[in-house]
């Protein structure tokens, strides 16, 4: 099966600490790399994760708070110094466009690659990226500024053809794709071999939902129902639920409620408040509601 992995570059929140970097992840899917959020220090974490700068296709910025975007301009500048030539696509709230252009004009003269900005409507759920193997759609969230998450979905795969049936019926290689697309086979005697006997069901498609900074949304589970893996911010423990509501953040227990109600495969926690030297408490509170919960940490890699 082609890899579908999440590389965690940073999982802290706004206040810098010695434990965590600011928010950033890389989604690796079918040998393509996409970044979600780009907090300060992200390019250092790319180096530590041995992710080559030139392989990054696009960056998705969830919202315009510094711990999610301050690293973007510096990273682009470094890309220029390492000889990148392929276009870099940036997706983010509309206001990012003007700020990005001003920064590029001032600091990034002579880039040998195009930086292509795509304004995102954070209040609508829509497909904003698509190629032959996946789609990326927005997930409207509730934060103090316009904010959205991102949902990465594999497109449905083709069925598997049975090798024993290929050999038994002497099916030529040239016909394998036709059979995967649903065709029957007619053997040398004119007998029709139905497609269902020639194939086995396709591997189920995988999906990853990244829910950046947001207060608890009781309806969020409907937008991400059944995803393979969910990342949901979990800034606070339950005793700070009032603070979470005030600052439009979530507790780890609330993140677990979303995961449970959405029937996801597993839950990744992150965006920890600087008040916690040990996030074990956040994990335990989440696991009481949704046992298949995990703490993210810098350098961790999760299979979707």
């Amino acid at each position: 099966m082609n890899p579908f992995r999440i590389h965690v570059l940073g999982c802290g929140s706004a206040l810098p600490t010695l434990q965590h970097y600011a928010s950033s992840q890389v989604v690796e899917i079918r040998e393509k790399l996409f970044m979600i959020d780009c907090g300060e220090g992200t390019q250092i974490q790319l180096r530590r994760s041995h992710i080559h700068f030139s392989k990054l296709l696009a960056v998705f910025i969830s919202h315009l708070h510094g711990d999610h975007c301050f690293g973007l301009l510096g990273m682009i500048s470094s890309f220029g110094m390492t000889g990148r030539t392929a276009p870099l696509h940036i997706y983010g709230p509309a206001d990012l466009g003007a700020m990005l252009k001003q920064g590029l004009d001032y600091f990034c003269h002579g880039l040998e690659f195009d930086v292509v900005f795509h304004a995102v409507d954070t209040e609508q759920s829509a497909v904003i990226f698509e190629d032959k193997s996946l789609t990326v759609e927005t997930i409207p969230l509730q934060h103090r500024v316009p904010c959205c998450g991102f949902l990465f979905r594999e497109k449905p795969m083709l069925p598997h053809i049975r090798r024993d049936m290929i050999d038994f019926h002497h099916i030529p290689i040239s016909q394998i794709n036709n059979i995967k697309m649903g065709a029957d086979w007619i053997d040398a005697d004119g007998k029709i071999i139905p497609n269902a006997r020639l194939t086995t069901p396709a591997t189920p498609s995988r999906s990853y939902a990244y829910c950046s900074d947001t207060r608890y949304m009781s309806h969020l589970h409907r937008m991400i129902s059944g995803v393979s893996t969910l990342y949901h911010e979990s800034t606070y423990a339950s005793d700070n639920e009032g603070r979470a509501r005030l600052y439009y953040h979530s507790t780890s227990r609330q993140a677990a409620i979303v995961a449970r109600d959405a029937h996801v495969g597993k839950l990744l926690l992150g965006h920890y408040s600087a008040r916690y030297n040990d996030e074990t408490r956040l994990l335990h509170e989440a696991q009481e509601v949704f046992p298949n919960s995990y703490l993210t940490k810098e350098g961790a890699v999760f299979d979707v």
Side-chain angles (χ1 to χ4, degrees), residues 5-304:
R5 303 186 184 104
I6 309 303
H7 300 258
V8 180
L9 305 183
C11 55
S13 56
L15 188 64
T17 72
L18 298 178
Q19 287 181 274
H20 296 299
Y21 279 73
S23 293
S24 185
Q25 297 182 2
V26 168
V27 178
E28 175 189 358
I29 176 169
R30 298 192 184 184
E31 300 182 354
K32 291 169 283 193
L33 299 179
F34 304 91
M35 178 176 286
I36 311 177
D37 283 336
C38 189
E40 188 176 1
T42 291
Q43 60 178 313
I44 300 297
Q45 291 297 88
L46 280 176
R47 291 288 198 196
R48 287 178 174 159
S49 297
H50 304 289
I51 296 173
H52 200 286
F53 285 1
S54 65
K55 293 185 177 181
L56 196 66
L57 300 179
V59 181
F60 297 86
I61 300 296
S62 63
H63 65 292
L64 300 184
H65 277 163
D67 56 320
H68 295 259
C69 64
F70 275 172
L72 183 59
L73 196 62
M75 185 179 73
I76 292 173
S77 177
S78 293
F79 285 1
M81 291 187 283
T82 56
R84 183 186 179 103
T85 57
L88 180 67
H89 293 266
I90 310 292
Y91 297 80
D95 287 346
L96 176 60
M99 291 186 284
L100 183 61
K101 182 180 185 305
Q102 186 177 29
L104 292 174
D105 290 345
Y106 196 87
F107 293 108
C108 300
H109 298 288
L111 290 180
E112 296 182 1
F113 64 95
D114 292 329
V115 178
V116 184
F117 178 70
H118 306 264
V120 170
D121 184 348
T122 61
E123 297 182 356
Q124 300 292 327
S125 178
V127 174
I128 58 173
F129 175 90
E130 183 173 11
D131 65 14
K132 65 180 181 180
S133 61
L134 79 146
T135 61
V136 182
E137 58 191 278
T138 48
I139 307 169
L141 300 174
Q142 296 178 3
H143 196 41
R144 302 192 304 277
V145 298
C147 182
C148 68
F150 302 102
L151 176 51
F152 290 73
R153 291 189 190 272
E154 283 185 316
K155 289 186 175 179
M157 302 181 198
L158 294 175
H160 303 285
I161 191 164
R162 292 175 53 183
R163 181 56 188 262
D164 60 333
M165 299 300 284
I166 294 175
D167 295 339
F168 183 81
H169 293 289
H170 306 291
I171 298 173
I173 294 175
S174 63
Q175 295 304 307
I176 288 178
N177 278 341
N178 290 336
I179 292 171
K180 285 186 175 183
M181 295 296 291
D184 298 326
W185 174 248
I186 301 176
D187 67 14
D189 299 325
K191 181 180 177 182
I192 297 176
I193 313 300
N195 184 269
R197 290 181 57 191
L198 302 171
T199 60
T200 57
T203 302
S205 298
R206 297 162 291 180
S207 52
Y208 175 59
Y210 174 92
C211 291
S212 181
D213 296 16
T214 183
R215 63 165 42 172
Y216 171 68
M217 298 166 57
S218 61
H219 63 280
L220 177 58
H221 69 278
R222 291 194 287 271
M223 291 186 276
I224 58 173
S225 178
V227 300
S228 307
T229 300
L230 166 66
Y231 168 86
H232 192 295
E233 74 119 288
S234 50
T235 307
Y236 297 109
S238 294
D239 61 344
N240 274 294
E241 186 172 333
R243 179 179 288 270
R245 187 181 308 110
L246 176 64
Y247 292 108
Y248 284 73
H249 284 297
S250 299
T251 67
S252 60
R253 184 178 185 278
Q254 289 171 332
I257 291 172
V258 174
R260 180 197 65 193
D261 293 349
H263 304 288
V264 308
K266 62 186 169 189
L267 170 66
L268 308 182
L269 305 171
H271 199 266
Y272 313 123
S273 168
R275 70 185 57 237
Y276 302 109
N277 292 320
D278 181 356
E279 293 86 22
T280 303
R281 178 181 176 186
L282 301 178
L283 178 62
H284 289 168
E285 289 191 0
Q287 288 178 332
E288 288 174 359
V289 176
F290 188 77
N292 204 23
S293 300
Y294 301 88
L295 294 173
T296 59
K297 61 180 180 180
E298 286 75 6
V301 180
F302 294 90
D303 288 314
V304 171

